[in-house]
């Protein structure tokens, strides 16, 4: 059962949620999952491409993958660079209103155990959050954390502290029916995040300033 399936039919799995106290998340199976299970050997492995696929790309394919206009390529170039080259600076984080220690309006943010020793081999984690609108503004309803290998290490529904005015279902997929039985609070996922993230973790995401 995938996590997407579990949360889509969250209420129907009430018996599972009561019978089992722990959820174990595994990385997604390979494309040869069925063959791996029954012990079959696939006919073609990586590197054993048909002859028709060998050789240089056709000229029209080369034109289609010209990335010189891509803003990331323009900023960093096309040569491989280390992870530390791609990090936001403190000034960039200030510009984009990231919550930073010592900055105004960030007194109530909970800090992770980051020690600042980021290296090119530091672990990456993708973070994404879904929000709703409450009487106090935007509040968390779901948080997901994915390790760089593709394994989901955290995926939790969260009950806001204040009265919900709009579930923002069209964006989040969260509804009143899904969230009603949830007892997990913001402080619970903050505690989990502090335990999960190593001191040199690097977060990756879209609009991370809002998620944080």
């Amino acid at each position: 059962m995938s996590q997407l399936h579990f949360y889509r039919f969250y209420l129907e799995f009430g018996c599972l949620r009561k019978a089992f106290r722990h959820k174990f998340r595994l990385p997604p199976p390979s494309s040869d999952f069925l063959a791996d299970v029954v012990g079959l050997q696939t006919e073609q492995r990586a590197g054993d491409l048909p002859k028709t696929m060998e050789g240089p790309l056709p000229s029209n394919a080369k034109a289609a993958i010209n990335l010189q206009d891509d803003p990331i390529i323009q900023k960093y170039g096309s040569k491989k660079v280390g992870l530390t080259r791609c990090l936001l600076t403190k000034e960039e984080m200030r510009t984009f209103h990231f919550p930073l220690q010592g900055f105004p309006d960030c007194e109530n943010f909970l800090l992770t155990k980051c020690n600042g020793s980021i290296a090119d081999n530091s672990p990456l984690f993708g973070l994404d959050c879904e929000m709703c609108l409450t009487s106090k503004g935007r509040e968390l309803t779901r948080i997901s954390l994915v390790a760089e290998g593709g394994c989901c290490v955290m995926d939790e529904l969260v009950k806001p502290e204040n009265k919900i005015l709009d579930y923002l279902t069209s964006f989040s997929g969260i509804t009143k029916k899904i969230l009603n039985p949830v007892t997990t609070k913001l402080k619970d996922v903050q505690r989990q995040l502090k335990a999960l993230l190593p001191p040199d973790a690097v977060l990756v995401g879209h609009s991370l300033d809002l998620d944080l």
Side-chain angles (χ1 to χ4, degrees):
M1 176 193 306
S2 70
Q3 289 189 83
L4 179 63
H5 188 85
F6 178 82
Y7 283 111
R8 180 173 292 169
F9 301 99
Y10 188 79
L11 295 179
E12 284 81 352
F13 291 129
C15 56
L16 291 182
R17 290 185 282 110
K18 291 174 184 176
F20 300 103
R21 297 179 55 192
H22 304 287
K23 296 192 295 287
F24 294 93
R25 303 177 180 92
L26 304 176
S30 69
S31 57
D32 297 326
F33 175 68
L34 185 58
D36 293 342
V37 169
V38 298
L40 296 176
Q41 297 295 319
T42 54
E43 294 181 2
Q44 291 181 350
R45 297 291 184 182
D48 298 332
L49 297 176
K51 295 295 182 183
T52 54
M53 296 181 66
E54 293 179 351
L57 288 171
S59 57
N60 60 342
K62 287 182 179 178
I65 58 174
N66 181 7
L67 299 177
Q68 295 309 308
D69 295 332
D70 187 279
I72 300 299
I73 298 294
Q74 288 181 348
K75 181 173 181 179
Y76 296 106
S78 56
K79 292 183 179 179
K80 184 177 179 180
V81 297
L83 170 65
T84 51
R85 169 89 186 277
C86 302
L87 297 176
L88 288 177
T89 65
K90 186 165 282 191
E91 284 306 312
E92 286 173 322
M93 285 192 273
R94 185 200 301 266
T95 300
F96 292 107
H97 309 293
F98 276 72
L100 293 172
Q101 188 174 13
F103 280 29
D105 302 324
C106 295
E107 296 84 359
N108 295 324
F109 280 85
L110 189 68
L111 301 176
T112 59
K113 52 181 182 289
C114 176
N115 59 15
S117 60
I118 305 299
D120 285 340
N121 61 349
S122 292
L124 295 172
F125 293 88
L127 176 70
D128 187 43
C129 294
E130 301 298 343
M131 309 289 182
C132 68
L133 288 178
T134 72
S135 56
K136 295 294 184 179
R138 297 168 70 255
E139 288 193 56
L140 183 69
T141 53
R142 184 177 181 179
I143 179 169
S144 304
L145 189 72
V146 180
E148 60 186 283
C151 177
C152 184
V153 294
M154 182 180 183
D155 193 7
E156 295 288 346
L157 295 168
V158 184
K159 179 69 70 70
E161 297 287 349
N162 299 287
K163 181 181 178 181
I164 297 175
L165 304 178
D166 189 339
Y167 286 86
L168 303 178
T169 305
S170 58
F171 299 101
S172 67
I174 304 297
T175 63
K176 181 178 181 179
K177 191 176 180 182
I178 290 174
L179 214 56
N180 265 346
V182 175
T183 57
T184 303
K185 297 288 189 176
L186 175 62
K187 62 183 180 181
D188 299 318
V189 296
Q190 287 175 327
R191 186 165 54 246
Q192 287 184 56
L193 274 179
K194 287 192 72 169
L196 282 170
L197 292 174
D200 62 337
V202 175
L203 293 182
V204 181
H206 182 265
S207 299
L208 268 180
D209 52 316
L210 300 177
D211 288 342
L212 293 175

